[in-house]
Short mmCIF file of all heavy atoms in Angstrom, two decimals:
data_model
loop_
_atom_site.label_atom_id
_atom_site.label_comp_id
_atom_site.label_asym_id
_atom_site.label_seq_id
_atom_site.Cartn_x
_atom_site.Cartn_y
_atom_site.Cartn_z
N TYR A 293 0.84 -1.20 0.00
CA TYR A 293 0.00 0.00 0.00
C TYR A 293 0.88 1.26 0.00
O TYR A 293 0.69 2.17 -0.82
CB TYR A 293 -0.90 -0.03 1.23
CG TYR A 293 -2.08 0.91 1.20
CD1 TYR A 293 -3.37 0.42 1.08
CD2 TYR A 293 -1.91 2.28 1.31
CE1 TYR A 293 -4.47 1.28 1.07
CE2 TYR A 293 -2.98 3.15 1.30
CZ TYR A 293 -4.26 2.64 1.17
OH TYR A 293 -5.35 3.50 1.15
N CYS A 294 1.86 1.29 0.91
CA CYS A 294 2.70 2.49 1.04
C CYS A 294 3.60 2.68 -0.18
O CYS A 294 3.84 3.82 -0.61
CB CYS A 294 3.53 2.40 2.32
SG CYS A 294 2.53 2.33 3.83
N ASP A 295 4.11 1.57 -0.73
CA ASP A 295 4.95 1.67 -1.93
C ASP A 295 4.16 2.23 -3.11
O ASP A 295 4.68 3.04 -3.90
CB ASP A 295 5.52 0.30 -2.29
CG ASP A 295 6.58 -0.15 -1.29
OD1 ASP A 295 7.09 0.70 -0.55
OD2 ASP A 295 6.88 -1.36 -1.26
N LEU A 296 2.92 1.80 -3.25
CA LEU A 296 2.09 2.31 -4.34
C LEU A 296 1.80 3.80 -4.16
O LEU A 296 1.83 4.57 -5.13
CB LEU A 296 0.77 1.52 -4.41
CG LEU A 296 0.89 0.07 -4.87
CD1 LEU A 296 -0.45 -0.64 -4.73
CD2 LEU A 296 1.36 0.00 -6.32
N VAL A 297 1.53 4.22 -2.91
CA VAL A 297 1.30 5.64 -2.65
C VAL A 297 2.57 6.44 -2.94
O VAL A 297 2.50 7.54 -3.52
CB VAL A 297 0.84 5.85 -1.19
CG1 VAL A 297 0.76 7.35 -0.86
CG2 VAL A 297 -0.53 5.21 -0.97
N ALA A 298 3.74 5.89 -2.59
CA ALA A 298 5.00 6.57 -2.88
C ALA A 298 5.22 6.73 -4.37
O ALA A 298 5.69 7.78 -4.84
CB ALA A 298 6.16 5.80 -2.25
N SER A 299 4.86 5.70 -5.15
CA SER A 299 4.99 5.82 -6.61
C SER A 299 4.03 6.88 -7.16
O SER A 299 4.36 7.59 -8.11
CB SER A 299 4.72 4.47 -7.27
OG SER A 299 3.35 4.11 -7.14
N GLY A 300 2.85 7.00 -6.55
CA GLY A 300 1.92 8.04 -6.96
C GLY A 300 2.43 9.43 -6.63
O GLY A 300 2.20 10.39 -7.39
N GLU A 301 3.14 9.57 -5.51
CA GLU A 301 3.75 10.85 -5.16
C GLU A 301 4.81 11.25 -6.19
O GLU A 301 4.88 12.41 -6.60
CB GLU A 301 4.38 10.76 -3.77
CG GLU A 301 3.39 10.57 -2.64
CD GLU A 301 4.07 10.20 -1.34
OE1 GLU A 301 5.32 10.06 -1.34
OE2 GLU A 301 3.36 10.06 -0.34
N GLN A 302 5.61 10.28 -6.61
CA GLN A 302 6.67 10.58 -7.57
C GLN A 302 6.13 10.92 -8.95
O GLN A 302 6.66 11.78 -9.64
CB GLN A 302 7.62 9.38 -7.66
CG GLN A 302 8.38 9.11 -6.38
CD GLN A 302 9.17 7.83 -6.44
OE1 GLN A 302 9.21 7.16 -7.46
NE2 GLN A 302 9.80 7.45 -5.32
N SER A 303 5.04 10.25 -9.34
CA SER A 303 4.47 10.49 -10.67
C SER A 303 3.47 11.63 -10.69
O SER A 303 3.05 12.08 -11.76
CB SER A 303 3.79 9.21 -11.19
OG SER A 303 2.71 8.85 -10.34
N GLY A 304 3.04 12.08 -9.50
CA GLY A 304 2.05 13.16 -9.43
C GLY A 304 0.65 12.72 -9.78
O GLY A 304 -0.18 13.54 -10.18
N ALA A 305 0.38 11.43 -9.63
CA ALA A 305 -0.95 10.89 -9.97
C ALA A 305 -1.52 10.13 -8.79
O ALA A 305 -1.83 8.93 -8.89
CB ALA A 305 -0.86 10.01 -11.21
N LEU A 306 -1.65 10.81 -7.66
CA LEU A 306 -2.16 10.14 -6.46
C LEU A 306 -3.59 9.65 -6.65
O LEU A 306 -3.97 8.60 -6.12
CB LEU A 306 -2.10 11.10 -5.27
CG LEU A 306 -0.85 11.06 -4.38
CD1 LEU A 306 -0.97 12.06 -3.26
CD2 LEU A 306 -0.62 9.66 -3.84
N ASP A 307 -4.41 10.42 -7.40
CA ASP A 307 -5.80 10.00 -7.59
C ASP A 307 -5.88 8.67 -8.33
O ASP A 307 -6.65 7.77 -7.95
CB ASP A 307 -6.58 11.08 -8.34
CG ASP A 307 -5.90 11.49 -9.64
OD1 ASP A 307 -4.71 11.14 -9.83
OD2 ASP A 307 -6.55 12.16 -10.46
N ALA A 308 -5.06 8.50 -9.38
CA ALA A 308 -5.07 7.24 -10.14
C ALA A 308 -4.53 6.10 -9.30
O ALA A 308 -5.05 4.97 -9.37
CB ALA A 308 -4.25 7.40 -11.42
N ILE A 309 -3.50 6.38 -8.49
CA ILE A 309 -2.92 5.32 -7.66
C ILE A 309 -3.91 4.87 -6.60
O ILE A 309 -4.09 3.66 -6.36
CB ILE A 309 -1.61 5.82 -7.00
CG1 ILE A 309 -0.52 5.96 -8.07
CG2 ILE A 309 -1.16 4.87 -5.91
CD1 ILE A 309 -0.14 4.66 -8.74
N PHE A 310 -4.58 5.81 -5.94
CA PHE A 310 -5.56 5.44 -4.92
C PHE A 310 -6.72 4.68 -5.56
O PHE A 310 -7.30 3.78 -4.93
CB PHE A 310 -6.07 6.68 -4.18
CG PHE A 310 -5.26 7.03 -2.96
CD1 PHE A 310 -4.39 8.10 -2.98
CD2 PHE A 310 -5.36 6.28 -1.81
CE1 PHE A 310 -3.63 8.43 -1.87
CE2 PHE A 310 -4.61 6.59 -0.69
CZ PHE A 310 -3.73 7.67 -0.72
N ASP A 311 -7.07 5.02 -6.78
CA ASP A 311 -8.12 4.27 -7.48
C ASP A 311 -7.67 2.83 -7.73
O ASP A 311 -8.45 1.89 -7.54
CB ASP A 311 -8.45 4.96 -8.80
CG ASP A 311 -9.61 4.28 -9.52
OD1 ASP A 311 -10.72 4.24 -8.97
OD2 ASP A 311 -9.38 3.76 -10.64
N ARG A 312 -6.42 2.63 -8.14
CA ARG A 312 -5.89 1.28 -8.36
C ARG A 312 -5.85 0.49 -7.05
O ARG A 312 -6.20 -0.70 -7.00
CB ARG A 312 -4.49 1.35 -8.97
CG ARG A 312 -4.47 1.78 -10.43
CD ARG A 312 -3.06 1.67 -11.00
NE ARG A 312 -3.02 2.09 -12.39
CZ ARG A 312 -3.34 1.32 -13.42
NH1 ARG A 312 -3.71 0.06 -13.19
NH2 ARG A 312 -3.27 1.78 -14.65
N ILE A 313 -5.40 1.16 -5.98
CA ILE A 313 -5.35 0.49 -4.68
C ILE A 313 -6.76 0.10 -4.23
O ILE A 313 -6.98 -0.98 -3.67
CB ILE A 313 -4.67 1.38 -3.63
CG1 ILE A 313 -3.23 1.69 -4.03
CG2 ILE A 313 -4.68 0.70 -2.27
CD1 ILE A 313 -2.55 2.70 -3.12
N ALA A 314 -7.72 1.00 -4.46
CA ALA A 314 -9.10 0.71 -4.07
C ALA A 314 -9.65 -0.50 -4.82
O ALA A 314 -10.28 -1.39 -4.21
CB ALA A 314 -9.99 1.94 -4.33
N ILE A 315 -9.39 -0.56 -6.11
CA ILE A 315 -9.83 -1.72 -6.90
C ILE A 315 -9.18 -3.00 -6.37
O ILE A 315 -9.85 -4.03 -6.19
CB ILE A 315 -9.50 -1.52 -8.39
CG1 ILE A 315 -10.33 -0.36 -8.97
CG2 ILE A 315 -9.76 -2.80 -9.19
CD1 ILE A 315 -9.94 0.04 -10.37
N TYR A 316 -7.88 -2.92 -6.10
CA TYR A 316 -7.15 -4.09 -5.61
C TYR A 316 -7.70 -4.55 -4.26
O TYR A 316 -7.96 -5.75 -4.04
CB TYR A 316 -5.67 -3.73 -5.48
CG TYR A 316 -4.86 -4.74 -4.71
CD1 TYR A 316 -4.57 -5.99 -5.26
CD2 TYR A 316 -4.38 -4.45 -3.44
CE1 TYR A 316 -3.83 -6.91 -4.54
CE2 TYR A 316 -3.64 -5.36 -2.73
CZ TYR A 316 -3.37 -6.60 -3.28
OH TYR A 316 -2.65 -7.50 -2.56
N ARG A 317 -7.92 -3.61 -3.34
CA ARG A 317 -8.43 -3.96 -2.01
C ARG A 317 -9.85 -4.50 -2.08
O ARG A 317 -10.20 -5.46 -1.37
CB ARG A 317 -8.38 -2.73 -1.09
CG ARG A 317 -7.01 -2.37 -0.55
CD ARG A 317 -6.53 -3.46 0.37
NE ARG A 317 -5.26 -3.13 1.00
CZ ARG A 317 -5.08 -3.01 2.31
NH1 ARG A 317 -6.07 -3.17 3.14
NH2 ARG A 317 -3.88 -2.76 2.79
N GLU A 318 -10.69 -3.90 -2.91
CA GLU A 318 -12.07 -4.37 -3.04
C GLU A 318 -12.11 -5.79 -3.60
O GLU A 318 -12.87 -6.64 -3.12
CB GLU A 318 -12.85 -3.41 -3.93
CG GLU A 318 -13.15 -2.07 -3.28
CD GLU A 318 -13.55 -1.00 -4.28
OE1 GLU A 318 -13.52 -1.28 -5.51
OE2 GLU A 318 -13.88 0.12 -3.85
N LYS A 319 -11.29 -6.05 -4.61
CA LYS A 319 -11.23 -7.41 -5.18
C LYS A 319 -10.72 -8.40 -4.14
O LYS A 319 -11.24 -9.52 -4.02
CB LYS A 319 -10.31 -7.41 -6.40
CG LYS A 319 -10.79 -6.57 -7.57
CD LYS A 319 -11.84 -7.28 -8.38
CE LYS A 319 -12.18 -6.50 -9.64
NZ LYS A 319 -13.25 -7.16 -10.42
N ALA A 320 -9.68 -8.01 -3.39
CA ALA A 320 -9.11 -8.91 -2.39
C ALA A 320 -10.11 -9.22 -1.28
O ALA A 320 -10.24 -10.38 -0.86
CB ALA A 320 -7.84 -8.28 -1.79
N GLU A 321 -10.85 -8.22 -0.81
CA GLU A 321 -11.83 -8.45 0.25
C GLU A 321 -13.00 -9.28 -0.25
O GLU A 321 -13.53 -10.12 0.48
CB GLU A 321 -12.33 -7.11 0.80
CG GLU A 321 -11.29 -6.34 1.61
CD GLU A 321 -10.74 -7.15 2.76
OE1 GLU A 321 -11.54 -7.77 3.49
OE2 GLU A 321 -9.51 -7.18 2.92
N ALA A 322 -13.41 -9.05 -1.51
CA ALA A 322 -14.49 -9.87 -2.07
C ALA A 322 -14.07 -11.32 -2.18
O ALA A 322 -14.85 -12.24 -1.87
CB ALA A 322 -14.89 -9.32 -3.44
N LEU A 323 -12.83 -11.55 -2.59
CA LEU A 323 -12.32 -12.91 -2.70
C LEU A 323 -12.24 -13.57 -1.33
O LEU A 323 -12.62 -14.74 -1.15
CB LEU A 323 -10.94 -12.87 -3.36
CG LEU A 323 -10.34 -14.19 -3.82
CD1 LEU A 323 -11.21 -14.83 -4.90
CD2 LEU A 323 -8.93 -13.98 -4.36
N LYS A 324 -11.76 -12.83 -0.34
CA LYS A 324 -11.66 -13.36 1.02
C LYS A 324 -13.04 -13.72 1.57
O LYS A 324 -13.22 -14.76 2.22
CB LYS A 324 -10.98 -12.33 1.92
CG LYS A 324 -10.61 -12.85 3.30
CD LYS A 324 -10.14 -11.73 4.19
CE LYS A 324 -8.92 -11.02 3.64
NZ LYS A 324 -8.44 -9.96 4.57
N SER A 325 -14.02 -12.87 1.30
CA SER A 325 -15.38 -13.11 1.77
C SER A 325 -15.97 -14.38 1.14
O SER A 325 -16.64 -15.17 1.82
CB SER A 325 -16.27 -11.90 1.43
OG SER A 325 -17.61 -12.15 1.77
#
């Protein structure tokens, strides 16, 4: 999570990175459920 946010800081695209993380987390939680 933190590495992805750091890459978003470097690229200046935090909104896109948080969107990718959100998709990843939602998929992971759905799979776990």
